[in-house]
Amino acid sequence: MSADLKARAEEISFRQCRLFESVGRLGSFRRGSEAWKLSQPAATQALAKLEQQIGHILLDRRAKGSHLTEVGKAFHFRVQRMFAQIDTALVDFGVGDAATASAAALRISRSQVRILIAVIECGSLAKAAAELGLTPASLQRAVRQLEGHLGSPLFHRTPAGVVGTPDCLDLGRKFKLAVQEIEWGLQEIEEARGVGASQIVLGALPRGGSMLLASVLEAFTRRRPETGIRILTEGASEMTRRLRFGEVDLVVGIIEDTTDPDLTSEAFAHTPVRVVARNGHPLAGRTDISLHDLARYDWIAGLEGDSRRLCLDALFQGRDRPSAPIETSTLTVIRQLIADSDRLTLMTQYELEHQGEALVALPCDPVATQLSVGVTMRSGWSPTRVHRDFINLIRATLERPTPSGD
């Protein structure tokens, strides 16, 4: 998401959004303004400002009612998603049932949500105040007001400073994802109008993610030259955290097993796991390789929790695990270490096909576990058209048969 869209989204208040949601849902400007006890002039001014901020007409006002324009329908969808997520976050926080949470949400302002997110991300009240251009006193006052609305403390003091409670951190994360809906709404409007430059942030897992992105980015940029693409590469655990906190839009690569209800994955292809060595390895010419033979060599294992590590454990289940003094999930490092020694490792067929002739699969049965290649997203996430186009391109790339038939 571009900095300009983020800044514009932050200028849109919850009050404007609630008024717009009511008018759009009720199909009546009068009934929508009455629902919020606003005079017609005040409501007119608020919605006119919202349309000015967005740069497009959202409502078609006629004698028989006020109806959402096509752009208005798209933005209304995002506004409703935002408020639904805020209500759910408050229920999860422990404010009360759905009705109590909805009532509490009405007392929370956009600025209070922005302050909560800033304090969590900056790690201290003082840094958050400086980041937002507020005095520490005004920021602390806003935090106390928010705690009053929630009926529960959000932070506690430690020798290291103010620290958010676990429930506070989770609430801040969910609030951040909720207000991102407004940013997505603005991006969708600009995409439809053909103005501005949209941006997507992609996470590439070390196992296959970077190669998969490289294989589709050229085609994608030809189709959408106006779209900016930012790619982050981290280990599976860090990438999962970034995805949950909305720092990346989706993650590409080998799908990692997770029980996190906040995440969902879509597999586009399955790939066998091979035992890999350098071309010319002592075992490369053998046809009767046993686990005992494999255990005689040092291995490169994945990091804790990585699928490469889990597959290695499964391969030697019930037997002594071979020496694996080097643990890494970075494929470029693994490739060099394998090519320059007699070490062994595990790779998917998909990864191996992109390594050239320096590495080979040993002539032994594939590991029983097959891994899936695809994308991981936040549960319930509604991608923009640009995201859907990118996902469809990945799907088409992976579903295309390979020469080997794998």
Side-chain angles (χ1 to χ4, degrees):
M1 188 68 61
S2 69
D4 175 63
L5 281 182
K6 284 181 177 292
R8 287 171 56 196
E10 289 182 353
E11 293 299 319
I12 298 174
S13 71
F14 285 174
R15 177 175 173 272
Q16 290 172 294
C17 288
R18 290 196 180 278
L19 174 61
F20 169 65
E21 191 281 328
S22 293
V23 173
R25 173 170 45 84
L26 298 172
S28 168
F29 191 87
R30 178 183 58 81
R31 292 170 61 195
S33 58
E34 287 177 351
W36 296 103
K37 297 180 173 58
L38 289 174
S39 66
Q40 292 271 346
T44 299
Q45 184 179 16
L47 290 183
K49 181 179 179 181
L50 178 61
E51 290 179 328
Q52 182 181 19
Q53 290 168 312
I54 290 176
H56 211 285
I57 300 299
L58 302 176
L59 290 161
D60 182 10
R61 297 181 62 183
R62 299 181 182 180
K64 293 184 178 181
S66 297
H67 304 285
L68 294 167
T69 63
E70 288 304 310
V71 169
K73 290 177 183 178
F75 192 68
H76 194 261
F77 169 75
R78 291 293 178 179
V79 168
Q80 288 186 318
R81 281 181 56 85
M82 177 182 71
F83 287 133
Q85 289 179 55
I86 289 175
D87 287 354
T88 300
L90 292 175
V91 171
D92 294 343
F93 182 76
V95 169
D97 60 14
T100 304
S102 293
L106 297 178
R107 299 190 293 270
I108 297 173
S109 68
R110 177 70 179 89
S111 62
Q112 289 171 343
V113 169
R114 183 165 58 248
I115 285 171
L116 174 63
I117 295 170
V119 173
I120 292 173
E121 292 183 341
C122 292
S124 76
L125 295 176
K127 290 181 180 178
E131 176 75 17
L132 297 174
L134 301 174
T135 65
S138 61
L139 185 139
Q140 290 177 20
R141 184 164 54 252
V143 169
R144 286 194 298 269
Q145 289 173 345
L146 181 57
E147 289 176 328
H149 299 328
L150 300 174
S152 179
L154 293 169
F155 302 93
H156 56 85
R157 293 192 175 277
T158 70
V162 175
V163 177
T165 66
D167 287 342
C168 166
L169 300 179
D170 191 56
L171 180 67
R173 178 181 68 84
K174 292 174 179 175
F175 275 179
K176 180 179 179 179
L177 295 177
V179 297
Q180 274 187 347
E181 294 292 337
I182 301 302
E183 298 168 17
W184 297 132
L186 293 179
Q187 179 165 304
E188 287 173 323
I189 290 171
E190 295 210 342
E191 289 172 9
R193 295 171 61 202
V195 299
S198 57
Q199 183 183 63
I200 57 177
V201 183
L202 306 172
L205 289 174
R207 300 202 59 198
S210 297
M211 291 181 299
L212 177 54
L213 286 178
S215 65
V216 301
L217 281 176
E218 183 62 33
F220 183 76
T221 53
R222 284 198 303 269
R223 294 184 187 184
R224 286 189 169 272
E226 78 287 353
T227 300
I229 302 171
R230 186 173 173 225
I231 301 173
L232 303 179
T233 302
E234 303 281 358
S237 60
E238 174 62 15
M239 196 58 71
T240 295
R241 186 199 69 78
R242 286 184 177 273
L243 182 60
R244 293 183 73 244
F245 278 80
E247 296 173 9
V248 297
D249 302 338
L250 64 147
V251 174
V252 180
I254 298 297
I255 294 175
E256 303 287 338
D257 290 333
T258 178
T259 57
D260 193 330
D262 295 330
L263 302 180
T264 184
S265 298
E266 185 174 355
F268 299 143
H270 303 284
T271 178
V273 179
R274 308 287 189 183
V275 179
V276 173
R278 66 175 174 84
N279 199 342
H281 190 281
L283 294 179
R286 300 230 339 233
T287 58
D288 57 345
I289 300 173
S290 66
L291 286 177
H292 176 73
D293 295 324
L294 298 176
R296 291 168 46 211
Y297 294 90
D298 283 350
W299 283 68
I300 299 175
L303 300 175
E304 187 71 33
D306 180 86
S307 54
R308 195 185 312 271
R309 175 78 161 266
L310 298 176
C311 288
L312 181 60
D313 293 341
L315 179 62
F316 288 94
Q317 186 174 12
R319 297 172 176 267
D320 291 337
R321 193 167 177 271
S323 172
I326 300 176
E327 298 178 357
T328 179
S329 296
T330 304
L331 198 57
T332 53
V333 174
I334 294 172
R335 182 185 187 282
Q336 195 63 47
L337 290 171
I338 295 296
D340 293 341
S341 71
D342 286 339
R343 299 183 183 93
L344 303 176
T345 194
L346 294 175
M347 285 187 184
T348 66
Q349 181 68 34
Y350 178 79
E351 290 173 314
L352 184 59
E353 288 171 356
H354 291 77
Q355 300 306 315
E357 299 180 356
L359 306 185
V360 296
L362 293 183
C364 55
D365 293 336
V367 178
T369 304
Q370 278 206 356
L371 298 179
S372 300
V373 185
V375 297
T376 301
M377 302 162 284
R378 290 182 292 276
S379 299
W381 177 55
S382 181
T384 67
R385 182 180 299 176
V386 170
H387 291 118
R388 289 195 297 271
D389 287 351
F390 190 82
I391 292 170
N392 288 337
L393 186 56
I394 293 176
R395 181 186 291 110
T397 300
L398 286 174
E399 290 179 348
R400 190 179 304 130
T402 63
S404 64
D406 291 318

